[in-house]
């Protein structure tokens, strides 16, 4: 049974000589670009969510340490063993879910939900049920929930333009310019260009105020003692597991398969479960296989050498995680419009693809109900709207769109 569940590497892990031979400047650059992508917009999402939830700078630094350093270790090991670009970071939709929850739950209760989510993901991986679990919830309904959760980032981007045009407008203009000219955008990714221009606008405005350096530059992770809350479990565990397994891992596996790789789905699930337990210990959200970063790692070069780009990315992530307090302090010293604009621009394409997936085929009524309930942000029995959105959308589709559950023939 274990042989069927645990996919073995196709070849023996490379030794030092072969590893050096497979490395190259192109793969180092791809690894750097992958890390820069993860360390810009997605980190802005963490900071925005953390500020919304009232987390301290030390707690945010511990979170960033967990998602970069610990997941960087996993990335290096997985890429080396399976000789594929298997970059692991964190669930961005899951991160966004945590923001509203921190408004009425303590961090200890949220950490308890992180731990139970890790155990659930691990169980699904060890039993081989992950494929059935991923297929049980229609993707349009899942993506409608994601669209409802992400919508806030789009509206925050618009609000940032209205409230602080001197900071947000140059960022948006650069993002649009680099997106409109793909030949330039390939050299300088739009989100990186927005970051650089935004940093320049902040510097020129004279509003960068890091204050006195009262914290260490090197990470000192805060180990979190969980509090077991039924409310937190019901509100967060299932939505978090869905974002890891269906949204993030599903996207990552699809990206790697399209690049000609054969990612080990069950092993990926097991590793996400184990590492989610580790990252939860320092207050960080669940681990997942990332789609965009893996796409960047496999964007060019020889397929058999793509794994070295993943190793570079993992090593850089570990380095970034070690200096999480410094980076967190610098980011939090910028105007709120900078983080809001950066996070909104980073989520723009994801929000677009969420709407396309949710409303371009089957389950459109269920997806609409899921989206509306999630956006309404209602809480029933103190349980957040994302859970009720999924539940309402599934129930309505089962009642009124029963034929959509039947796969096409042929």
């Amino acid at each position: 049974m274990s042989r069927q569940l645990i996919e073995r590497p196709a070849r023996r892990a490379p030794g030092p000589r072969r590893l050096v031979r497979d490395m190259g400047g192109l793969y180092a650059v791809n690894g750097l670009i992958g890390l820069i992508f993860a360390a810009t917009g997605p980190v802005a999402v963490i900071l925005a969510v953390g500020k919304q939830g009232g987390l301290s700078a030390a707690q945010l630094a511990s979170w960033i340490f967990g998602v970069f350093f610990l997941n960087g270790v996993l990335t290096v090991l997985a890429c080396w063993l399976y000789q594929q670009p298997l970059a692991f970071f964190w669930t961005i939709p899951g991160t966004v879910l945590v923001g509203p929850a921190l408004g009425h739950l303590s961090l200890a209760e949220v950490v308890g939900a992180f731990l139970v989510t890790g155990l659930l993901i691990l169980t699904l991986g060890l039993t081989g049920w992950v494929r059935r679990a991923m297929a049980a919830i229609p993707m349009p309904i899942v993506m409608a929930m994601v669209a409802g959760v992400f919508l806030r980032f789009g509206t925050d981007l618009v609000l940032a333009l209205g409230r602080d045009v001197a900071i947000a407008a140059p960022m948006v203009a650069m993002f649009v310019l680099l997106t409109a000219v793909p030949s330039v955008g390939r050299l300088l990714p739009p989100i990186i260009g927005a970051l650089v221009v935004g940093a320049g606008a902040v510097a020129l405005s004279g509003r960068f105020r890091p204050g006195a350096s009262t914290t260490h530059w090197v990470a000192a992770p805060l180990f979190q003692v969980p509090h077991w809350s039924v409310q937190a479990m019901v509100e967060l565990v299932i939505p978090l597991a869905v974002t890891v397994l269906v949204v993030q891992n599903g996207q990552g596996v699809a990206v790697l398969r399209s690049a000609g790789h054969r990612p080990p789905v069950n092993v990926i699930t097991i590793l996400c479960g184990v590492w989610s337990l580790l990252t939860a210990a320092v207050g960080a959200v669940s681990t997942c296989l990332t789609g965009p970063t893996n796409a960047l790692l496999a964007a060019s070069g020889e397929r058999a050498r793509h794994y070295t780009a993943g190793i570079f990315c993992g090593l850089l992530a570990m380095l970034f995680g070690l200096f999480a307090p410094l980076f967190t302090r610098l980011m939090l010293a910028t105007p709120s419009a900078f983080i809001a604009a950066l996070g909104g621009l980073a989520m723009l394409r994801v929000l677009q693809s969420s709407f396309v997936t949710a409303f371009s085929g089957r389950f459109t009524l269920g997806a609409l109900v899921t989206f509306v309930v999630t956006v309404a942000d209602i809480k029933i029995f103190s349980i957040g709207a994302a859970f009720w959105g999924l539940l309402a959308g599934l129930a309505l589709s089962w009642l009124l769109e029963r034929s959509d559950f039947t796969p096409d023939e042929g």
Side-chain angles (χ1 to χ4, degrees):
M1 183 176 179
S2 62
R3 290 181 180 176
Q4 297 173 345
L5 292 178
I6 308 297
E7 301 98 332
R8 295 175 181 268
R11 294 185 295 169
R12 181 180 299 178
R17 286 185 180 178
R18 189 175 135 216
L19 194 59
V20 171
R21 188 174 67 246
D22 286 346
M23 289 181 175
L26 173 64
Y27 307 99
V29 169
N30 285 350
L32 175 62
I33 293 173
L35 186 278
I36 290 174
F37 176 87
T40 49
V43 169
V45 174
I46 291 180
L47 296 178
V49 165
K51 290 176 71 175
Q52 176 189 355
L55 298 186
S56 68
Q59 289 169 328
L60 284 169
S62 185
W63 186 332
I64 292 172
F65 168 83
V67 297
F68 278 97
F69 184 84
L70 296 179
N71 289 330
V73 173
L74 174 58
T75 296
V76 171
L77 291 174
C79 292
W80 176 65
L81 285 173
Y82 281 88
Q83 295 152 77
Q84 300 180 48
L86 297 172
F88 292 84
F89 281 112
W90 69 96
T91 164
I92 297 174
T95 300
V96 180
L97 284 170
V98 171
L102 285 170
H104 56 274
L105 297 172
S106 68
L107 179 59
E109 290 175 307
V110 171
V111 167
F114 288 165
L115 289 169
V116 174
T117 301
L119 288 172
L120 174 60
I121 294 170
L122 178 59
T123 300
L124 291 172
L126 290 172
T127 57
W129 293 344
V130 63
R131 289 185 178 89
R132 277 178 277 174
M134 290 173 70
I137 305 177
M139 183 60 74
I141 291 176
V142 173
M143 296 311 288
M145 179 200 75
V146 173
V149 170
F150 279 2
L151 187 64
R152 183 186 195 105
F153 283 86
T155 56
D156 283 350
L157 171 61
V158 177
L159 291 173
L161 278 167
R163 293 172 182 168
D164 203 338
V165 66
I167 301 296
M171 298 174 70
V172 172
M174 178 58 71
F175 184 88
V176 171
L177 176 64
L178 292 174
T179 303
V181 186
S183 58
V184 181
R186 280 192 289 269
L187 299 174
L188 180 65
I191 191 65
I192 309 302
L195 169 68
V196 172
V197 169
V202 170
L204 290 173
S205 71
R207 293 161 57 198
F208 178 67
R209 301 184 180 93
S213 179
T214 58
T215 58
H216 297 290
W217 287 15
V218 180
L222 302 177
F223 293 97
Q224 304 291 334
V225 178
H227 179 73
W228 308 111
S229 162
V230 174
Q231 178 185 343
M233 304 303 166
V234 175
E235 179 173 345
L236 291 175
V237 170
I238 297 299
L240 277 173
V242 167
T243 65
V244 170
L245 297 174
V246 181
V247 181
Q248 301 276 193
N249 286 11
Q251 183 185 54
V253 168
V255 162
L256 290 173
R257 284 177 175 167
S258 67
H261 295 286
R262 299 180 63 186
V265 176
N266 281 330
V267 168
I268 287 169
T269 306
I270 292 168
L271 292 174
C272 287
V274 172
W275 250 257
S276 293
L277 299 175
L278 296 176
T279 57
V282 294
V285 75
S286 307
T287 294
C288 71
L289 184 75
T290 171
T293 300
N294 279 310
L296 292 168
L297 299 179
S300 58
E302 301 172 33
R303 184 189 307 159
R305 300 170 67 186
H306 285 164
Y307 77 97
T308 62
I311 291 175
F312 276 116
C313 183
L315 291 172
L316 291 171
M318 293 167 63
L319 184 64
F320 185 91
L322 284 175
F323 291 96
L326 172 64
F327 185 82
T328 304
R329 173 172 162 264
L330 295 177
M331 286 288 283
L332 290 176
T334 61
S336 59
F338 175 76
I339 293 176
L342 195 61
L345 291 171
M347 293 294 100
L348 208 54
R349 287 294 190 186
V350 182
L351 185 60
Q352 178 191 19
S353 64
S354 299
F355 274 109
V356 170
T357 304
F359 300 112
S360 62
R362 298 178 168 191
F363 304 101
T364 51
L365 183 58
L368 177 62
V369 169
T370 298
F371 175 76
V372 170
V373 173
T374 303
V375 170
D377 199 24
I378 60 167
K379 295 180 177 64
I380 303 175
F381 305 121
S382 298
I383 298 169
F387 173 81
W388 297 115
L390 276 176
L391 194 63
L394 278 170
L396 200 68
S397 284
W398 183 253
L399 289 172
L400 302 180
E401 297 178 311
R402 186 73 64 89
S403 61
D404 286 352
F405 285 91
T406 304
D408 291 328
E409 297 181 2

